[in-house]
Amino acid sequence: MTSVVARDRIRTPQRPGDVIFSTATVVSGSLILAVLAAVAGFLLIQSLPAFVAAPADFSGGFTNFWSYVWPLAFGTLWSALLAMIIAIPLAIGIALFISHYAPRRIAAGLGYVIDLLAAVPSVVFGLWGIGVLAPLVQPFYANLVDWFGWFPLFAGPVSGTGRTILTVAIVLAVMVLPIITALCREIFLQTPVLYEEASLALGATRWEMISMAVLPFGRSGIISASMLGLGRALGETMAVAMVLSPSPTVLFQLLTSQNPTTIAANIALNFPEAHGVGVNILLATGLILFVITLAVNMIARYIINRRKAFSGAN
């Protein structure tokens, strides 16, 4: 009887809508992989001349491509790391306030305002960083150098304009804040009510309930949101190019006038005047940024897959 039913199911023709939908999903998934492979292939082919370029083709006195791209890769990772250090705690705190502390009306209004930040163009953030943030924080930077100049990160001389790598990190943190906050808020709201009520019934305070039930449940989701924000910070161009006073150096100091630039900002600033092998060199730096972003996403996916159970990210 079971075999007869199975044969009838096999012989039943599929509906046209099912065929169209399944075909569309397969084509869409394959198209994403094809576009990704096409971008990678284009960058790789266009980057080959840069790997064997002569020292005269590099500006700044660099001898080869790797010595040229290393300060750019460092600046990209350093600015993004600083931005995430600032943004992640703020985003988690705002998401917890919206989801578990604020009254419903305030939570809805605050969530709407946070979401609106994602629609602000990068140029506006860059103008805000130059015209408002940099002059505002410059006296604070001077005090930091006076008080904590013995610490290598805060060593002087302090920038007179406030356009430093730390200012760029603050601008990037504000830019990625709505992305991380929105995702963390939705993850925290998905925490099963049974877990929260059980914690409270056992005598836990609200913060103990959050630390024992909400945060463990949303751990993988927090990582996913952070990696999505990190991808935005790694690829940001205009805000960094407008705020930062770049120099092709590797510096950990946060408050000096000399600052490492990023790959994306370097491409935006130099591409209009590039020609010949110079274009290939810039495309090769884009390939490095592509590899960095891909590696970050792969690491994030590995971390998330290690904790599939009791997680709001799956």
Side-chain angles (χ1 to χ4, degrees), residues 105-195:
R105 291 184 178 180
I106 297 178
L110 184 58
Y112 181 70
V113 172
I114 294 296
D115 293 338
L116 279 179
L117 286 176
V120 178
S122 301
V123 176
V124 175
F125 281 110
L127 293 174
W128 171 73
I130 294 175
V132 178
L133 183 61
L136 183 65
V137 299
Q138 198 282 328
F140 177 68
Y141 289 169
N143 291 331
L144 278 181
V145 173
D146 293 337
W147 298 337
F148 304 104
W150 51 268
F151 191 65
L153 291 180
F154 302 124
V158 66
S159 171
T161 62
R163 297 171 63 179
T164 68
I165 191 70
L166 183 57
T167 304
V168 169
I170 296 174
V171 173
L172 291 178
V174 175
M175 295 180 68
V176 304
L177 190 64
I179 300 174
I180 304 176
T181 301
L183 293 177
C184 289
R185 178 188 62 201
E186 296 302 321
I187 292 297
F188 295 156
L189 290 174
Q190 291 179 12
T191 305
V193 179
L194 179 63
Y195 296 163

Side-chain angles (χ1 to χ4, degrees), residues 198-211:
S199 299
L200 295 174
L202 292 174
T205 63
R206 181 174 294 186
W207 166 245
E208 290 173 340
M209 178 270 294
I210 290 173
S211 62

Side-chain angles (χ1 to χ4, degrees), residues 13-238:
Q14 292 185 337
R15 297 179 180 179
D18 295 336
V19 176
I20 295 174
F21 181 76
S22 63
T23 304
T25 54
V26 172
V27 171
S28 300
S30 303
L31 184 61
I32 295 175
L33 296 177
V35 171
L36 185 64
V39 171
F42 168 78
L43 291 176
L44 182 60
I45 294 173
Q46 294 295 323
S47 301
L48 293 179
F51 297 142
V52 295
D57 296 323
F58 297 95
S59 59
F62 295 100
T63 58
N64 55 61
F65 172 75
W66 301 110
S67 64
Y68 174 79
V69 76
W70 162 238
L72 303 177
F74 168 80
T76 301
L77 294 173
W78 183 229
S79 60
L81 176 62
L82 293 173
M84 301 310 294
I85 292 175
I86 298 172
I88 291 176
L90 287 176
I92 294 176
I94 295 172
L96 287 175
F97 177 76
I98 293 175
S99 60
H100 287 82
Y101 285 94
R104 182 173 299 178
R105 291 184 178 180
I106 297 178
L110 184 58
Y112 181 70
V113 172
I114 294 296
D115 293 338
L116 279 179
L117 286 176
V120 178
S122 301
V123 176
V124 175
F125 281 110
L127 293 174
W128 171 73
I130 294 175
V132 178
L133 183 61
L136 183 65
V137 299
Q138 198 282 328
F140 177 68
Y141 289 169
N143 291 331
L144 278 181
V145 173
D146 293 337
W147 298 337
F148 304 104
W150 51 268
F151 191 65
L153 291 180
F154 302 124
V158 66
S159 171
T161 62
R163 297 171 63 179
T164 68
I165 191 70
L166 183 57
T167 304
V168 169
I170 296 174
V171 173
L172 291 178
V174 175
M175 295 180 68
V176 304
L177 190 64
I179 300 174
I180 304 176
T181 301
L183 293 177
C184 289
R185 178 188 62 201
E186 296 302 321
I187 292 297
F188 295 156
L189 290 174
Q190 291 179 12
T191 305
V193 179
L194 179 63
Y195 296 163
E196 299 179 358
E197 292 179 348
S199 299
L200 295 174
L202 292 174
T205 63
R206 181 174 294 186
W207 166 245
E208 290 173 340
M209 178 270 294
I210 290 173
S211 62
M212 289 187 300
V214 178
L215 291 180
F217 177 82
R219 185 175 302 168
S220 296
I222 294 173
I223 296 174
S224 300
S226 302
M227 292 302 104
L228 188 61
L230 179 60
R232 170 72 187 276
L234 289 172
E236 180 52 43
T237 304
M238 290 307 302

